[in-house]
Amino acid sequence: MQAAPSTEPAPLAPEDEALRAALLGPPGARQRRALAKAITLIESTRPEHRTRADALLDALLPHTGGALRLGISGVPGVGKSTFIEALGLHLVGAGHRVAVLAVDPSSSLSGGSILGDKTRMERLSTHEQAFIRPSPSGGTLGGVAEKTREAILVCEAARHDVVIVETVGVGQSETAVAGMTDLFVLMQLPNAGDDLQAIKKGVMELADLVLVNKADLDADATTRAQAQLTSALRWLGPHAHAAVRVMPLSALTGQGVAEFWQLACEEHRQRQAAGTLHARRHEQDEAWMWARIEAGLRQRFRADPAVREVLPEISTLVRAGRLAPSVAARRLLERMR
Ligand code: GDP
C-alpha cells in the first residue's frame, strides 16, 4: 500500500527561521526587510534557493489567506499607478496595510518593463504601511506569475490585509492575475472603441468590476462608455448573469476612489458569505498546482538524457516535414524515463 502524501513542512534553515520570525513579527523596518528578502528568495532561479523558498512558503502557509486580493489591469496610460497610489493612500489612511505587486509581461520578454519604473506611486512607496514590489524580470510569463502568486502569500503572512496585483492590458497576463486574485478590476478609458478592443481580447470576461477612468476629462463620454460597457458585459462570460458594475473614476482627483473601495468590500463580503470566495481560491490553488506539475514535467522532459539524445534529430525531421509532429511527440514521450 502507498503511504499517504506527507503534509509535514520541510525543515527551515536557521537563517530562514529568522526570516520567518521577522515576517510574522511586528510591523516595521525589520519586517519590511524580511519581506523584500523573502520575495528575492522566491524570485531566485537557483535550485537551492527554490528548495529554501518552498520550505519557507510551507512554514508561512498557516498565516496566509487573510487579505483581500485585488487584481488591477488596463492598457499603459489608463491610470493604473495613479489609481493604485490614490487607493493605497486612502487605505493606509483608514488603517489598512497595503502591498502592491506586479505582473508585467514586458519584463519577461525583454527584461525591460512597462510597470517597473521607480518613480511610480512615489507617496505610497514611502508610506510605512505600504509595500511595493515591481514585477520580477526574466523568465516566462508563467514563471513571473508564479512568483507573484507566492509573493502574495508572503505579504499576507506579514499581515498586509490588502494585496493589489497590477498588470498591463497586453498579452496573457490578465488571465494569470485574474487567476490569483479575489476581485479582478479592469480599467478603461472613456473613448469609444476601447470596450470592443477589450472584448476581443477576452479580458472583459475576466472582469468582476470595470472602472472608467479619467472621468474628469469628459463627463458625457464617460457616461456613454459606462452604458456601452454595461450592455456589452451583459452578453459576456461567466458573469453574464451577475451584474458586473461599471463605475466612473478619476484617479487624478480621487473622485470615485472611496466608492470603489466600498463596493469592492461589499462584493468581497457577499462572496465570503455565499462561499464563492473560498470556492474561487480553492480552484485557483488547484490550477496553480497543475501549472507547477506541467512546468515540472516539461523541465524533466527537456533534461532527460534519453530525450536529449534524439531531440535535435527528431526536431529536424519534423521541421523538414519528414515526420508527423504527433508521431515525433509520441516517440519522444516514450523515451522519457
Ligand atoms: P498607467 O500606465 O496605467 O500606470 O497610467 P498612469 O497612472 O501612469 O497615468 C498616465 C497618465 O494619465 C498620467 O499623466 C496621469 O497623470 C494621467 N491620469 C491618470 N488618471 C487620470 C485621471 O483620472 N484624470 C486625468 N485627467 N488624468 C489622469
Side-chain angles (χ1 to χ4, degrees), residues 235-248:
W235 303 102
L236 275 171
H239 298 296
H241 55 284
V244 175
R245 290 281 296 272
V246 183
M247 297 176 73

Side-chain angles (χ1 to χ4, degrees), residues 1-20:
M1 208 173 74
Q2 290 260 305
S6 167
T7 53
E8 282 294 304
L12 282 182
E15 61 199 299
D16 297 335
E17 189 57 61
L19 203 54
R20 187 189 81 102

